[in-house]
Amino acid sequence: MSANAVSAHAELMTTAMFINGKAENGTGLPVTVFNPSTGEVAANFPGATLDQFKAAIASARKAADQGEWAAMKPADRVAILRRFIAYLHEQNEAVNSLIVMETGAPVSGFVLQAQVSGPLQQMESMLDLYMKLPEIEDNPLPLEERINSFGGFVQSIRHYVPVGVVAAISAYNFPLHISLWKVLTALATGNCVVLRPSPLTPLSTLALSKAAAAAGLPAGVLHILAEAGPEGAQLLTTDPAVDMVSFTGSTGVGSIVAGQAAPSMKRLQLELGGKSAQIFLPDRVEAAYTAAIGVCLAHAGQGCVLGTRIFVPEAEKEKVLAGMMQTMAYAKIGDSTAPDTTMGPVISEAQVERCAHFVKLAVEAGATVVTGGKRADRPGFYFEPTILDAPDNKNPAAQEEIFGPVVVVIGYRDIDHAIEMANDSPLGLSGHVHGKDARQALDVAKRLRTGTVNINTFMGSAYASSGGVKMSGVGRERGVEGIRAFQEVKVLNLGSAS
């Protein structure tokens, strides 16, 4: 990281809350942020109190009820949000520095691009897509229903309006990326937002307050508060003044959020856990050689859509495992600021322990550690890239989301067996099918119970939505569906007065 980046990093970094358009120091319990590359404290500051969360909700509610932001022309709102994005582009080196420090994403490689520049480009595309969507659409009434009982002509239309106040609760693995998708989509559609980042990685999210100020975002439209505990998040999910909760995180916490939101019937958008399958068809087995290292190098396996269950033909399994071992040699574990590092740390000591715990459970249930399987011998929060050879899909490593650099390889007898095992999971966020026979690959993809299936590719586009089925969530993000999620449909039935 250059000296310029460190200097810019210092200018961009803030530990203040953002309430009603103003920076306000927290007065609650301290938020301690660790640099996972070193295990050392990167920042320690007072978090928000429950009263500060209440003030933010009240400010957002007032702004939503006054309706000035929602009443602006969409093009005017989008112009402000483009300035918001432009500011972050200008601060790219400083934003990268913050992300590297608090998440452990390596400074070189595609992970950092997915953390910062990728989502900023996608935000521009999201705004382009939003501007193409109509504010009103005609309801296709039959001709005979377009004349009322008095002989007059009538029309019925769908009018897309803001939900109101949106609580956005973000996750630690891609803090800026996830927060931007929630905040800018909600703001573009005319909502007011209270954003609560993960206490593990709040710094890049708190820095969004500077982008809001630079863009000229009206006071009361966006609030950002970090906290050490869950009290503020609980208020956001229960307060009747909040109309919608957009949450990204674990399935366990997502279930709690859904329960807390139920009494006030809040709209929910939940992107939760995943245990995605990669099915390698017999005609493309050789592609499986890089599957394990691909997962491990993708932010040390800390991605909910990563294909951590790898299914290969049983007869080819030993050859695949040997190939995986060869490619895993290219993994270079190291400090995230080192230019030759290809795999950085996991987020915390607790996550290191979680990885070790599930490797132990997997072995006890009959799996074999092919490589890795333990903490890396260096300061910081590192776990070795790990390949597990499991006898079946019932193994704990195949059933639980580990969220670390751990993959499980399982053999299948035939295609039906592979599909059966892939679907044998309470989760269904994403999936992957690899095959040279496009027709066969498509047929397999159609039978998978998951919200997204990638066939010989991976796509992250503002125009293509993603979301889970089963215990992986409710609703969609990105695409038309992800924009409409932040809007209510108001049906207007129009007739002329007699």
Side-chain angles (χ1 to χ4, degrees), residues 135-141 145-146 154-162 267 487-495:
E135 286 189 85
I136 61 170
E137 292 178 322
D138 182 66
N139 283 320
L141 299 178
E145 291 184 18
R146 293 180 181 270
V154 297
Q155 183 182 13
S156 180
I157 62 174
R158 298 186 299 279
H159 183 204
Y160 294 96
V161 299
R267 174 173 293 190
Q487 295 177 309
E488 296 280 8
V489 178
K490 181 181 290 185
V491 171
L492 301 174
N493 300 315
L494 310 177

Side-chain angles (χ1 to χ4, degrees), residues 14 48 65 82 103 124 194 247 249 340 350 369 443 460 469 481 487:
T14 178
D65 290 342
R82 290 198 192 279
T103 70
E124 293 279 10
V194 181
F247 170 81
D340 61 341
V369 177
D443 288 343
V469 300
E481 303 98 320
Q487 295 177 309

Side-chain angles (χ1 to χ4, degrees), residues 352-375 383-388 395-397 402 405-407:
V352 173
E353 293 173 358
R354 180 177 175 85
C355 293
H357 172 70
F358 276 103
V359 169
K360 180 175 181 291
L361 290 182
V363 171
E364 290 173 351
T368 300
V369 177
V370 177
T371 187
K374 63 184 186 299
R375 183 187 197 122
F383 197 81
E384 293 178 343
T386 300
I387 302 172
L388 298 174
N395 191 279
I402 300 172
V406 181
V407 301

Side-chain angles (χ1 to χ4, degrees), residues 4 13 23 60 86 122 160 163-164 210 221 226 281 289 320 322 349:
N4 288 338
M13 181 171 160
Q122 289 181 7
Y160 294 96
V163 171
K210 298 196 174 185
V221 171
L281 301 180
Y289 297 175
V320 168
E349 181 66 29

Side-chain angles (χ1 to χ4, degrees), residues 32-47:
T32 302
V33 181
F34 290 90
N35 181 337
S37 288
T38 63
E40 298 173 349
V41 174
N44 187 273
F45 59 92

